[in-house]
């Protein structure tokens, strides 16, 4: 999220806590982890928490490499983050929850068992997170920083429910299903609060350099054409001047996001770059999206092109198509032609914003720092 943490989404922590609660398992409060047999040496696995050791092993040998394409961040996720987890139970629970989801993905025959483990650990992680956040300080902020990133991964890794939009935080979505867009915006608020501490702490390596002015970047012709069409749609949108301004700002943020993906430097995280758009759109746009305004849905459909660039991550696999399909179902026939290009792009599995390296003259000598942690 280029520069210092984005302030474009003035969501409040209480709202985030409500959003975080929605990630909890529908089976919360009921034990769902199967007991394990005594192993051959006579030790009771319960004494050693063998299931938890399996999950920690999975995280430090495999899962830690799947949250980001930045190789320089892998050791931080593999070594430093677990070290923080030994001092903060809520972070360790979050680590184990993500590892359990990863194993659920890798071992379909035991998927239900690992999902139950993931739910159990995540419920405890979120409970501890909510309890401790009021006492966030220079010492424990690094654990909050790491868990905030893992919460977003968990939301995407959780099984998707068919027939739900899962876009915003309104009551139309099923209780218990995470709404990823306001979650990303809310997590950004927490990151803003801890920014001065994190940038000098043990996880400062997860922050990434900022980028140059993206407005002058020449995008591929299809993307440029679509953005121009979207701008025209916004200029004549219904809802009054405030709605028109919100749509225009959302399209400008989308153009910046496209440019960041298209010209992403090797030092930048692909995931973090893709998640800049949700925190830069104005609150009014989110309100219009909550209301299922067709213009808002059309803009979101074009953001799905960005999400599709993350389809190679196990926890993002299929999300772009899922969101696009639900947008299609929300729109009537007269509006569906507006999402033809992003829909076709995803259906063809086309990565239209193909990365190309920056030339030296395109990188400023003094770049700001980004709050992106993944």
């Amino acid at each position: 999220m280029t520069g210092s943490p984005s302030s474009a989404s003035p969501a409040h922590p209480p709202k985030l806590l409500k959003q975080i609660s929605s990630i909890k398992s529908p089976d919360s409060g009921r034990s769902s982890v199967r007991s394990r047999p005594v192993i051959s040496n006579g030790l009771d696995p319960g004494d050693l928490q063998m299931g938890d050791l399996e999950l920690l092993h999975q995280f430090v040998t495999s899962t830690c490499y799947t949250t980001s394409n930045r190789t320089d961040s892998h050791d931080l996720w593999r070594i430093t983050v677990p070290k923080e987890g030994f001092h903060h139970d809520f972070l360790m629970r979050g680590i184990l929850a993500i590892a359990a989801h990863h194993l659920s993905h890798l071992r379909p025959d035991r998927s239900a068992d690992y999902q139950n483990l993931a739910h159990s650990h995540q419920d405890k992680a979120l409970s501890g997170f909510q309890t401790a956040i009021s006492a966030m300080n220079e010492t424990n902020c690094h654990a909050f920083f790491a868990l905030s990133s893992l919460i977003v991964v968990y939301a995407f890794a959780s099984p998707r429910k068919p027939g739900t939009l899962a876009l915003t935080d309104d009551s139309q979505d099923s209780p218990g299903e995470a709404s990823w867009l306001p979650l990303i915006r809310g997590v950004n608020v927490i990151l803003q609060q801890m920014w001065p501490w994190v940038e000098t702490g043990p996880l400062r390596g997860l922050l990434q350099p900022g980028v140059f002015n993206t407005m002058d970047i020449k995008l591929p012709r299809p993307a440029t054409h679509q953005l121009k069409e979207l701008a025209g749609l916004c200029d004549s949108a219904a809802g009054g001047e405030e709605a028109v301004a919100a749509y225009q700002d959302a399209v400008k943020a989308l153009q910046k996001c496209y440019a960041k993906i298209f010209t992403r430097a090797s030092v930048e995280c692909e995931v973090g770059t893709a998640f800049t758009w949700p925190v830069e759109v104005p609150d009014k746009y989110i309100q219009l999206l909550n209301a299922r305004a067709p213009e808002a849905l059309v803009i979101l459909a074009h953001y799905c092109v960005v999400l599709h660039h993350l389809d190679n991550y196990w926890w993002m696999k299929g999300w772009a198509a899922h969101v696009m399909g639900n947008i299609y179902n929300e729109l009537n026939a007269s509006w569906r032609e507006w999402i033809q290009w992003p829909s076709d792009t995803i259906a063809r599995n086309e990565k239209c914003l193909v990365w190309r390296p920056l030339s030296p003259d395109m990188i400023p000598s003094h770049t700001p720092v980004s709050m992106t942690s993944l």
Side-chain angles (χ1 to χ4, degrees):
M1 300 167 190
T2 305
S4 59
S6 174
S7 58
S9 54
H12 301 291
K15 187 175 182 180
L16 171 63
L17 293 180
K18 178 182 177 183
Q19 181 63 27
I20 287 174
S21 330
S22 73
I23 309 177
K24 288 195 172 187
S25 163
D27 298 322
S28 297
R30 188 176 71 209
S31 175
S32 55
V33 181
R34 295 183 181 180
S35 60
R36 296 175 180 268
V38 174
I39 55 179
S40 57
N41 61 8
L43 292 175
D44 181 354
D47 293 340
L48 292 176
Q49 300 298 317
M50 297 297 284
D52 293 346
L53 292 177
E54 177 190 24
L55 297 180
L56 184 58
H57 176 266
Q58 170 65 23
F59 186 87
V60 300
T61 60
S62 179
T63 308
C64 65
Y65 300 108
T66 69
T67 61
S68 171
N69 65 304
R70 285 180 59 199
T71 56
D72 60 323
S73 74
H74 290 163
D75 276 354
L76 289 171
W77 284 110
R78 183 174 66 89
I79 300 172
T80 311
V81 171
K83 278 185 177 179
E84 285 291 320
F86 289 129
H87 300 288
H88 303 282
D89 181 79
F90 62 84
L91 174 57
M92 182 57 72
R93 294 286 186 178
I95 289 170
L96 300 182
I98 295 298
H101 262 313
H102 195 194
L103 284 172
S104 173
H105 171 79
L106 295 173
R107 303 175 185 175
D109 57 319
R110 295 190 56 196
S111 178
D113 290 339
Y114 285 120
Q115 284 184 25
N116 285 337
L117 283 169
H119 291 321
S120 176
H121 283 299
Q122 188 71 356
D123 288 349
K124 293 171 184 174
L126 297 178
S127 178
F129 183 96
Q130 293 173 5
T131 300
I133 195 170
S134 61
M136 185 171 63
N137 56 42
E138 188 174 359
T139 301
N140 63 20
C141 68
H142 314 294
F144 285 106
F145 176 46
L147 184 61
S148 295
S149 297
L150 293 178
I151 284 173
V152 175
V153 174
Y154 186 93
F156 283 107
S158 298
R160 296 183 292 270
K161 296 181 180 180
T164 54
L165 199 52
L167 301 175
T168 55
D169 58 354
D170 66 324
S171 60
Q172 295 184 44
D173 288 333
S174 298
E177 179 169 1
S179 302
W180 58 268
L181 197 152
L183 182 65
I184 293 173
R185 288 167 65 83
V187 163
N188 181 66
V189 174
I190 291 182
L191 300 187
Q192 291 179 50
Q193 297 176 8
M194 66 180 74
W195 167 256
W197 297 324
V198 174
E199 67 175 342
T200 59
L203 298 181
R204 61 186 179 278
L206 293 180
L207 309 179
Q208 67 182 37
V211 295
F212 53 92
N213 184 354
T214 58
M215 300 309 290
D216 296 329
I217 298 301
K218 186 176 181 180
L219 292 168
R221 185 176 299 175
T224 300
H225 173 75
Q226 289 302 128
L227 289 169
K228 184 177 180 181
E229 292 291 310
L230 281 180
L233 174 66
C234 294
D235 290 340
S236 58
E241 293 182 2
E242 189 179 5
V244 169
Y247 293 139
Q248 290 173 337
D249 287 345
V251 173
K252 289 176 183 177
L254 185 62
Q255 189 275 338
K256 287 171 59 180
C257 190
Y258 276 19
K260 289 173 183 176
I261 291 289
F262 184 56
T263 56
R264 181 178 55 82
S266 59
V267 295
E268 292 181 288
C269 175
E270 183 178 33
V271 176
T273 301
F275 286 167
T276 56
W277 182 81
V279 304
E280 292 183 357
V281 296
D283 280 350
K284 179 61 177 179
Y285 172 77
I286 299 298
Q287 294 170 13
L288 293 162
L289 195 56
N290 278 336
R292 304 311 198 253
E295 294 92 343
L297 291 170
V298 168
I299 294 170
L300 184 67
H302 285 75
Y303 175 65
C304 287
V305 170
V306 175
L307 290 183
H308 187 59
H309 278 258
L310 306 181
D311 212 52
N312 55 314
Y313 293 89
W314 65 269
W315 47 276
M316 285 296 299
K317 187 72 175 177
W319 261 100
H322 173 75
V323 175
M324 180 63 71
N326 287 315
I327 291 173
Y328 180 90
N329 292 335
E330 288 285 332
L331 295 173
N332 61 38
S334 64
W335 281 97
R336 287 175 179 171
E337 63 182 77
W338 283 97
I339 65 169
Q340 191 66 49
W341 176 73
S343 180
D344 288 348
T345 298
I346 293 170
R348 293 193 300 264
N349 195 28
E350 179 182 342
K351 305 292 175 67
C352 64
L353 302 174
V354 177
W355 176 84
R356 62 181 176 84
L358 295 175
S359 60
D361 61 323
M362 297 173 72
I363 306 177
S365 57
H366 298 287
T367 55
V369 178
S370 170
M371 194 59 195
T372 303
S373 59
L374 290 172

